[in-house]
Amino acid sequence: MELTRIIIQPLNTEKSYKLRDLLNKVYTFQVNPKATKQEIALAFESIYTIVPLKVRTQLRKPAAIRTGTMKPGFTKLTKIAYITLPPGTDIAESKEEIQKVSKEKTPLSSDVTKKEVKKQAVTVAKTTIAKKEVAAKKTEVKEDKKEVAAKKTEVIEDKKENK
């Protein structure tokens, strides 16, 4: 999944404003429902150049809404990411703040950041592949255990019949 398609938009709600006022600033974003926490952290880092301390996610399942017909409609499935920043760091929220920050900071070379992003994306991909392989091996072990249990029951039944 492309890093630019992971974070969709920031969420500005009463709860998100309360979370921002805490010591460890927590920002809320609407993200792609298929994105993992590692991908969200990587996308946030590539956009804001700040490594988040913690990423928490929440799925908002579709809820029935009234449409005026016999069949109800449903809201969209959304995923919310709560991103905790390190103490003392802050991100720009409005256009004015973004312009101030861009004037104050000197831009980094795009080649270095692209290389770092590619390396991190590769490591994320490798870890997800490794996790899938481990899950596949676990299912194979479970199937083998079931086969062994079935053979044991067959042996026990044969012994009962022979007596």
Side-chain angles (χ1 to χ4, degrees), residues 28-90:
T28 56
F29 293 92
Q30 182 181 358
V31 296
N32 189 329
K34 295 180 181 177
T36 62
K37 290 181 181 182
Q38 292 85 9
E39 291 173 339
I40 294 169
L42 186 63
F44 182 83
E45 184 180 351
S46 67
I47 293 171
Y48 293 103
T49 64
I50 298 173
V51 179
L53 282 181
K54 185 180 359 176
V55 177
R56 295 177 292 143
T57 58
Q58 173 188 8
L59 278 176
R60 288 192 183 164
K61 296 180 180 174
I65 56 172
R66 293 174 56 176
T67 60
T69 62
M70 292 294 287
K71 296 180 182 177
F74 290 93
T75 59
K76 289 184 177 180
L77 172 75
T78 57
K79 190 172 193 177
I80 309 300
Y82 297 96
I83 300 175
T84 305
L85 297 182
T89 58
D90 198 12

